[in-house]
Amino acid sequence: GESVGLHLPTLSVQEGDNSIINCAYSNSASDYFIWYKQESGKGPQFIIDIRSNMDKRQGQRVTVLLNKTVKHLSLQIAATQPGDSAVYFCAESDFKTIFGAGTRLFVKA
Amino acid sequence: DTAVSQTPKYLVTQMGNDKSIKCEQNLGHDTMYWYKQDSKKFLKIMFSYNNKELIINETVPNRFSPKSPDKAHLNLHINSLELGDSAVYFCASSQDRNNSPLHFGNGTRLTVT
């Protein structure tokens, strides 16, 4: 069946370091991929997206990489800050948006 | 001003009761959704409406019935609540039915005792 999974359930980084969160997806028909950030008590918040005709997209301090050959997606956060501490979800979409299990990011001061 | 708002934020009720959760979006989006998040943070789609038309209906017990009176509102009614229904329910909207990011509300934490 369709699934989107994450390699690491938790990630702990030092403030100022770069963070990399990885994700594997299985639906070859997915053509749109999104990263969301969820803080405690709130709904998931859109961070960055990428379409299947691209392999890299950059935002403010964030970069998403897409490798369709191995069905892999990653989120890179530069100069990680305490405010980046949250649960991060990757999601894939063809007709419907399917979420991965989530990675909790801890930022140590 | 909240883009996607859902009420109530917390809902505690007993097994067997019927309850409703309301959702409204002021983004002018065409598509709205209900997602369920379990205790392990896993998010699963339940329903999706596009311009008041049901377009996604996942394997959800028929005790759950969504209703969309207009494209800005999507309510969720749950009959005969069970312990396993306890979760956080998120409403979301998107500009289009495909390839658009979702905008989520802040969730309704449902606790069934």
Side-chain angles (χ1 to χ4, degrees), chain A residues 31-32 34 36 38 41-44 46 49 51 89 93-97 99-101 104, chain B residues 9 35 37 40-43 45 55-56 58 90 97-102 104-107:
Chain A
D31 57 1
Y32 180 59
I34 320 101
Y36 292 89
Q38 186 178 22
K42 295 185 178 180
F46 169 82
D49 58 3
R51 302 192 188 280
F89 294 94
S93 178
D94 54 0
F95 177 71
K96 59 187 176 185
T97 301
F99 283 77
R104 186 176 295 279
Chain B
K9 187 170 177 62
Y35 277 80
Q37 186 171 47
K40 296 180 181 178
K41 297 288 189 183
F42 188 70
L43 274 159
I45 189 168
I55 57 172
I56 295 174
E58 290 294 287
F90 285 99
R97 58 193 292 177
N98 291 325
N99 296 343
S100 294
L102 304 182
F104 284 85
N106 282 330

Short mmCIF file of all heavy atoms in Angstrom, two decimals, chain A residues 31-32 34 36 38 41-44 46 49 51 89 93-97 99-101 104, chain B residues 9 35 37 40-43 45 55-56 58 90 97-102 104-107:
data_model
loop_
_atom_site.label_atom_id
_atom_site.label_comp_id
_atom_site.label_asym_id
_atom_site.label_seq_id
_atom_site.Cartn_x
_atom_site.Cartn_y
_atom_site.Cartn_z
N ASP A 31 3.29 13.36 -7.22
CA ASP A 31 3.99 14.38 -8.00
C ASP A 31 4.16 15.68 -7.24
O ASP A 31 4.60 16.69 -7.81
CB ASP A 31 3.26 14.62 -9.33
CG ASP A 31 1.81 15.02 -9.12
OD1 ASP A 31 1.37 15.13 -7.96
OD2 ASP A 31 1.12 15.22 -10.14
N TYR A 32 3.81 15.66 -5.98
CA TYR A 32 3.90 16.87 -5.17
C TYR A 32 4.26 16.46 -3.76
O TYR A 32 3.64 15.54 -3.19
CB TYR A 32 2.54 17.60 -5.22
CG TYR A 32 2.46 18.87 -4.42
CD1 TYR A 32 3.31 19.94 -4.66
CD2 TYR A 32 1.47 19.01 -3.44
CE1 TYR A 32 3.20 21.11 -3.94
CE2 TYR A 32 1.35 20.18 -2.71
CZ TYR A 32 2.22 21.24 -2.96
OH TYR A 32 2.11 22.40 -2.25
N ILE A 34 5.54 17.79 0.27
CA ILE A 34 5.46 18.94 1.17
C ILE A 34 6.08 18.59 2.52
O ILE A 34 5.96 17.46 2.98
CB ILE A 34 3.96 19.34 1.42
CG1 ILE A 34 3.13 19.25 0.15
CG2 ILE A 34 3.89 20.76 2.02
CD1 ILE A 34 2.28 18.01 0.05
N TYR A 36 5.89 19.80 6.55
CA TYR A 36 5.12 20.55 7.53
C TYR A 36 5.82 20.51 8.88
O TYR A 36 6.50 19.55 9.21
CB TYR A 36 3.71 19.95 7.71
CG TYR A 36 2.80 20.09 6.52
CD1 TYR A 36 2.78 19.13 5.51
CD2 TYR A 36 1.95 21.19 6.39
CE1 TYR A 36 1.94 19.25 4.41
CE2 TYR A 36 1.10 21.31 5.30
CZ TYR A 36 1.10 20.34 4.31
OH TYR A 36 0.27 20.46 3.24
N GLN A 38 4.94 20.92 13.00
CA GLN A 38 3.86 20.97 13.98
C GLN A 38 4.42 21.25 15.36
O GLN A 38 5.18 20.46 15.91
CB GLN A 38 3.07 19.65 14.00
CG GLN A 38 1.84 19.73 14.91
CD GLN A 38 1.01 18.46 14.90
OE1 GLN A 38 1.49 17.38 14.57
NE2 GLN A 38 -0.26 18.58 15.24
N GLY A 41 0.29 21.64 20.46
CA GLY A 41 -1.01 22.29 20.58
C GLY A 41 -1.49 23.00 19.34
O GLY A 41 -2.52 23.68 19.38
N LYS A 42 -0.75 22.83 18.24
CA LYS A 42 -1.14 23.51 17.00
C LYS A 42 -1.27 22.52 15.85
O LYS A 42 -0.85 21.37 15.94
CB LYS A 42 -0.10 24.58 16.65
CG LYS A 42 0.00 25.70 17.66
CD LYS A 42 0.97 26.77 17.18
CE LYS A 42 1.05 27.93 18.15
NZ LYS A 42 2.01 28.97 17.69
N GLY A 43 -1.85 22.99 14.79
CA GLY A 43 -1.93 22.17 13.60
C GLY A 43 -0.64 22.23 12.80
O GLY A 43 0.18 23.13 12.99
N PRO A 44 -0.42 21.27 11.90
CA PRO A 44 0.76 21.31 11.04
C PRO A 44 0.78 22.60 10.21
O PRO A 44 -0.26 23.06 9.75
CB PRO A 44 0.59 20.08 10.15
CG PRO A 44 -0.30 19.18 10.92
CD PRO A 44 -1.24 20.07 11.66
N PHE A 46 2.65 24.60 6.97
CA PHE A 46 3.42 24.44 5.74
C PHE A 46 4.79 25.10 5.87
O PHE A 46 4.91 26.23 6.35
CB PHE A 46 2.64 25.06 4.58
CG PHE A 46 3.42 25.22 3.31
CD1 PHE A 46 3.57 24.14 2.46
CD2 PHE A 46 4.00 26.43 2.96
CE1 PHE A 46 4.28 24.27 1.27
CE2 PHE A 46 4.70 26.57 1.78
CZ PHE A 46 4.85 25.49 0.94
N ASP A 49 7.51 23.23 -0.25
CA ASP A 49 7.04 22.15 -1.10
C ASP A 49 7.93 22.02 -2.32
O ASP A 49 8.76 22.88 -2.61
CB ASP A 49 5.57 22.35 -1.51
CG ASP A 49 5.33 23.67 -2.24
OD1 ASP A 49 6.30 24.43 -2.50
OD2 ASP A 49 4.16 23.98 -2.54
N ARG A 51 7.75 20.09 -6.45
CA ARG A 51 7.03 19.28 -7.43
C ARG A 51 7.98 18.27 -8.04
O ARG A 51 9.21 18.44 -8.00
CB ARG A 51 6.39 20.17 -8.48
CG ARG A 51 5.44 21.16 -7.84
CD ARG A 51 4.53 21.89 -8.79
NE ARG A 51 3.81 22.94 -8.07
CZ ARG A 51 2.73 22.73 -7.33
NH1 ARG A 51 2.24 21.53 -7.21
NH2 ARG A 51 2.15 23.72 -6.70
N PHE A 89 6.80 16.73 9.52
CA PHE A 89 6.17 15.71 8.70
C PHE A 89 6.49 15.94 7.24
O PHE A 89 6.40 17.07 6.75
CB PHE A 89 4.64 15.77 8.83
CG PHE A 89 4.10 15.41 10.18
CD1 PHE A 89 3.85 16.40 11.11
CD2 PHE A 89 3.84 14.10 10.51
CE1 PHE A 89 3.34 16.08 12.36
CE2 PHE A 89 3.33 13.77 11.75
CZ PHE A 89 3.09 14.77 12.68
N SER A 93 1.68 13.69 -2.35
CA SER A 93 0.34 13.89 -2.87
C SER A 93 0.28 13.52 -4.35
O SER A 93 1.14 13.91 -5.13
CB SER A 93 -0.07 15.35 -2.68
OG SER A 93 -1.35 15.59 -3.22
N ASP A 94 -0.72 12.72 -4.70
CA ASP A 94 -1.13 12.65 -6.09
C ASP A 94 -2.57 13.13 -6.15
O ASP A 94 -2.85 14.25 -6.55
CB ASP A 94 -0.96 11.25 -6.70
CG ASP A 94 -1.65 10.15 -5.89
OD1 ASP A 94 -2.26 10.47 -4.85
OD2 ASP A 94 -1.58 9.01 -6.29
N PHE A 95 -3.50 12.37 -5.66
CA PHE A 95 -4.88 12.83 -5.54
C PHE A 95 -5.17 13.27 -4.10
O PHE A 95 -5.94 14.20 -3.87
CB PHE A 95 -5.83 11.71 -5.95
CG PHE A 95 -7.27 12.08 -5.78
CD1 PHE A 95 -7.88 13.00 -6.61
CD2 PHE A 95 -8.04 11.50 -4.77
CE1 PHE A 95 -9.23 13.34 -6.47
CE2 PHE A 95 -9.37 11.84 -4.61
CZ PHE A 95 -9.97 12.75 -5.45
N LYS A 96 -4.56 12.59 -3.15
CA LYS A 96 -4.75 12.94 -1.74
C LYS A 96 -3.40 13.06 -1.06
O LYS A 96 -2.40 12.49 -1.52
CB LYS A 96 -5.61 11.89 -1.03
CG LYS A 96 -5.04 10.50 -1.07
CD LYS A 96 -6.01 9.48 -0.49
CE LYS A 96 -5.45 8.08 -0.62
NZ LYS A 96 -6.41 7.05 -0.18
N THR A 97 -3.37 13.81 0.01
CA THR A 97 -2.11 14.05 0.73
C THR A 97 -1.96 13.04 1.84
O THR A 97 -2.81 12.94 2.72
CB THR A 97 -2.08 15.48 1.30
OG1 THR A 97 -2.20 16.41 0.23
CG2 THR A 97 -0.76 15.72 2.03
N PHE A 99 0.54 11.61 4.88
CA PHE A 99 1.60 12.07 5.77
C PHE A 99 2.47 10.92 6.25
O PHE A 99 1.99 9.80 6.46
CB PHE A 99 1.00 12.77 6.99
CG PHE A 99 0.52 14.16 6.71
CD1 PHE A 99 -0.68 14.37 6.04
CD2 PHE A 99 1.27 15.25 7.10
CE1 PHE A 99 -1.12 15.66 5.76
CE2 PHE A 99 0.84 16.54 6.84
CZ PHE A 99 -0.35 16.75 6.17
N GLY A 100 3.73 11.22 6.45
CA GLY A 100 4.64 10.29 7.11
C GLY A 100 4.43 10.33 8.61
O GLY A 100 3.60 11.09 9.13
N ALA A 101 5.21 9.51 9.32
CA ALA A 101 5.00 9.33 10.76
C ALA A 101 5.50 10.50 11.59
O ALA A 101 5.13 10.61 12.75
CB ALA A 101 5.66 8.04 11.22
N ARG A 104 10.60 14.12 15.49
CA ARG A 104 10.67 15.18 16.50
C ARG A 104 12.08 15.76 16.51
O ARG A 104 13.06 15.03 16.68
CB ARG A 104 10.30 14.65 17.87
CG ARG A 104 10.21 15.74 18.93
CD ARG A 104 9.75 15.20 20.27
NE ARG A 104 8.40 14.67 20.22
CZ ARG A 104 7.29 15.41 20.29
NH1 ARG A 104 7.39 16.72 20.42
NH2 ARG A 104 6.10 14.85 20.28
N LYS B 9 -12.16 23.43 20.92
CA LYS B 9 -10.76 23.03 20.99
C LYS B 9 -10.60 21.73 21.78
O LYS B 9 -9.76 20.90 21.47
CB LYS B 9 -9.93 24.13 21.65
CG LYS B 9 -8.42 23.88 21.61
CD LYS B 9 -7.65 25.10 22.06
CE LYS B 9 -6.14 24.81 22.11
NZ LYS B 9 -5.61 24.46 20.77
N TYR B 35 -8.71 15.44 9.07
CA TYR B 35 -7.65 14.49 9.38
C TYR B 35 -7.77 14.08 10.83
O TYR B 35 -8.19 14.86 11.67
CB TYR B 35 -6.25 15.10 9.17
CG TYR B 35 -5.76 15.08 7.74
CD1 TYR B 35 -6.20 16.02 6.82
CD2 TYR B 35 -4.84 14.12 7.32
CE1 TYR B 35 -5.73 16.00 5.51
CE2 TYR B 35 -4.37 14.09 6.02
CZ TYR B 35 -4.82 15.03 5.12
OH TYR B 35 -4.35 15.00 3.82
N GLN B 37 -5.45 12.64 14.05
CA GLN B 37 -4.09 12.40 14.53
C GLN B 37 -4.16 11.58 15.81
O GLN B 37 -4.77 12.00 16.80
CB GLN B 37 -3.36 13.72 14.79
CG GLN B 37 -1.89 13.53 15.15
CD GLN B 37 -1.11 14.84 15.18
OE1 GLN B 37 -1.55 15.83 15.76
NE2 GLN B 37 0.05 14.85 14.54
N LYS B 40 0.25 8.67 18.59
CA LYS B 40 1.62 8.59 18.08
C LYS B 40 1.90 9.65 17.01
O LYS B 40 2.89 9.59 16.30
CB LYS B 40 1.89 7.19 17.50
CG LYS B 40 1.81 6.10 18.56
CD LYS B 40 2.06 4.73 17.97
CE LYS B 40 1.96 3.65 19.05
NZ LYS B 40 2.15 2.29 18.51
N LYS B 41 1.00 10.61 16.94
CA LYS B 41 1.17 11.75 16.03
C LYS B 41 0.91 11.40 14.57
O LYS B 41 1.17 12.23 13.69
CB LYS B 41 2.57 12.39 16.15
CG LYS B 41 2.85 12.99 17.51
CD LYS B 41 2.06 14.26 17.71
CE LYS B 41 2.49 14.98 18.97
NZ LYS B 41 1.66 16.18 19.20
N PHE B 42 0.45 10.19 14.28
CA PHE B 42 0.21 9.82 12.90
C PHE B 42 -1.04 10.52 12.39
O PHE B 42 -2.10 10.44 13.00
CB PHE B 42 0.08 8.31 12.76
CG PHE B 42 0.03 7.85 11.34
CD1 PHE B 42 1.15 7.92 10.54
CD2 PHE B 42 -1.15 7.38 10.79
CE1 PHE B 42 1.11 7.52 9.21
CE2 PHE B 42 -1.20 6.97 9.47
CZ PHE B 42 -0.07 7.04 8.68
N LEU B 43 -0.93 11.18 11.24
CA LEU B 43 -2.03 11.94 10.63
C LEU B 43 -2.64 11.12 9.50
O LEU B 43 -1.95 10.75 8.55
CB LEU B 43 -1.51 13.25 10.05
CG LEU B 43 -1.43 14.44 10.97
CD1 LEU B 43 -0.47 15.47 10.43
CD2 LEU B 43 -2.80 15.06 11.18
N ILE B 45 -5.89 10.93 6.70
CA ILE B 45 -7.00 11.63 6.08
C ILE B 45 -8.30 10.85 6.29
O ILE B 45 -8.31 9.61 6.26
CB ILE B 45 -6.75 11.88 4.58
CG1 ILE B 45 -7.81 12.81 4.01
CG2 ILE B 45 -6.67 10.56 3.81
CD1 ILE B 45 -7.49 13.34 2.63
N ILE B 55 -15.18 14.23 -2.17
CA ILE B 55 -14.27 13.66 -3.16
C ILE B 55 -13.36 12.59 -2.58
O ILE B 55 -12.81 11.78 -3.32
CB ILE B 55 -13.41 14.75 -3.84
CG1 ILE B 55 -12.61 15.56 -2.81
CG2 ILE B 55 -14.28 15.66 -4.69
CD1 ILE B 55 -11.59 16.52 -3.43
N ILE B 56 -13.16 12.60 -1.28
CA ILE B 56 -12.37 11.56 -0.63
C ILE B 56 -13.13 11.08 0.59
O ILE B 56 -13.58 11.87 1.41
CB ILE B 56 -10.98 12.06 -0.19
CG1 ILE B 56 -10.13 12.42 -1.40
CG2 ILE B 56 -10.26 11.00 0.65
CD1 ILE B 56 -8.79 13.05 -1.04
N GLU B 58 -12.21 8.06 3.09
CA GLU B 58 -11.36 6.94 3.46
C GLU B 58 -12.15 5.91 4.25
O GLU B 58 -13.33 6.10 4.52
CB GLU B 58 -10.16 7.44 4.26
CG GLU B 58 -9.18 8.24 3.43
CD GLU B 58 -8.49 7.41 2.37
OE1 GLU B 58 -7.61 6.59 2.73
OE2 GLU B 58 -8.83 7.56 1.18
N PHE B 90 -8.18 17.30 13.00
CA PHE B 90 -7.76 18.53 12.35
C PHE B 90 -8.58 18.78 11.10
O PHE B 90 -8.74 17.89 10.26
CB PHE B 90 -6.29 18.47 11.95
CG PHE B 90 -5.34 18.62 13.11
CD1 PHE B 90 -4.76 17.50 13.69
CD2 PHE B 90 -5.03 19.88 13.61
CE1 PHE B 90 -3.88 17.64 14.75
CE2 PHE B 90 -4.16 20.03 14.67
CZ PHE B 90 -3.59 18.90 15.25
N ARG B 97 -7.81 21.05 -5.31
CA ARG B 97 -7.90 19.68 -4.82
C ARG B 97 -6.61 18.91 -5.04
O ARG B 97 -6.38 17.87 -4.43
CB ARG B 97 -9.06 18.96 -5.48
CG ARG B 97 -9.00 18.92 -6.99
CD ARG B 97 -10.32 18.48 -7.58
NE ARG B 97 -10.63 17.09 -7.30
CZ ARG B 97 -11.76 16.50 -7.66
NH1 ARG B 97 -12.69 17.18 -8.28
NH2 ARG B 97 -11.98 15.24 -7.38
N ASN B 98 -5.75 19.39 -5.93
CA ASN B 98 -4.47 18.73 -6.19
C ASN B 98 -3.33 19.71 -6.08
O ASN B 98 -3.46 20.87 -6.44
CB ASN B 98 -4.45 18.15 -7.61
CG ASN B 98 -5.40 16.98 -7.76
OD1 ASN B 98 -5.59 16.21 -6.84
ND2 ASN B 98 -6.00 16.88 -8.92
N ASN B 99 -2.20 19.22 -5.56
CA ASN B 99 -0.95 19.98 -5.61
C ASN B 99 -1.02 21.36 -4.99
O ASN B 99 -0.46 22.33 -5.52
CB ASN B 99 -0.45 20.08 -7.07
CG ASN B 99 -0.12 18.73 -7.64
OD1 ASN B 99 0.04 17.75 -6.91
ND2 ASN B 99 -0.02 18.66 -8.95
N SER B 100 -1.73 21.45 -3.88
CA SER B 100 -1.74 22.69 -3.10
C SER B 100 -1.46 22.35 -1.65
O SER B 100 -1.94 21.32 -1.16
CB SER B 100 -3.10 23.37 -3.17
OG SER B 100 -3.39 23.81 -4.46
N PRO B 101 -0.70 23.20 -0.95
CA PRO B 101 -0.44 22.91 0.45
C PRO B 101 -1.72 23.03 1.28
O PRO B 101 -2.63 23.78 0.95
CB PRO B 101 0.58 23.98 0.86
CG PRO B 101 0.39 25.09 -0.12
CD PRO B 101 -0.05 24.45 -1.40
N LEU B 102 -1.75 22.27 2.36
CA LEU B 102 -2.88 22.30 3.27
C LEU B 102 -2.66 23.35 4.34
O LEU B 102 -1.56 23.51 4.85
CB LEU B 102 -3.08 20.93 3.93
CG LEU B 102 -3.24 19.74 3.00
CD1 LEU B 102 -3.46 18.46 3.80
CD2 LEU B 102 -4.38 19.97 2.04
N PHE B 104 -3.97 24.13 8.06
CA PHE B 104 -4.65 23.42 9.13
C PHE B 104 -5.19 24.35 10.20
O PHE B 104 -4.61 25.42 10.48
CB PHE B 104 -3.69 22.44 9.81
CG PHE B 104 -3.42 21.20 9.03
CD1 PHE B 104 -2.44 21.17 8.05
CD2 PHE B 104 -4.16 20.05 9.26
CE1 PHE B 104 -2.20 20.01 7.31
CE2 PHE B 104 -3.93 18.88 8.55
CZ PHE B 104 -2.94 18.87 7.57
N GLY B 105 -6.29 23.92 10.81
CA GLY B 105 -6.73 24.53 12.05
C GLY B 105 -5.88 24.00 13.19
O GLY B 105 -4.97 23.20 12.99
N ASN B 106 -6.18 24.44 14.41
CA ASN B 106 -5.39 24.05 15.56
C ASN B 106 -5.89 22.79 16.26
O ASN B 106 -5.37 22.42 17.31
CB ASN B 106 -5.27 25.20 16.55
CG ASN B 106 -4.25 26.23 16.09
OD1 ASN B 106 -3.28 25.90 15.40
ND2 ASN B 106 -4.49 27.48 16.43
N GLY B 107 -6.86 22.15 15.69
CA GLY B 107 -7.25 20.84 16.17
C GLY B 107 -8.34 20.87 17.24
O GLY B 107 -8.52 21.85 17.96
#
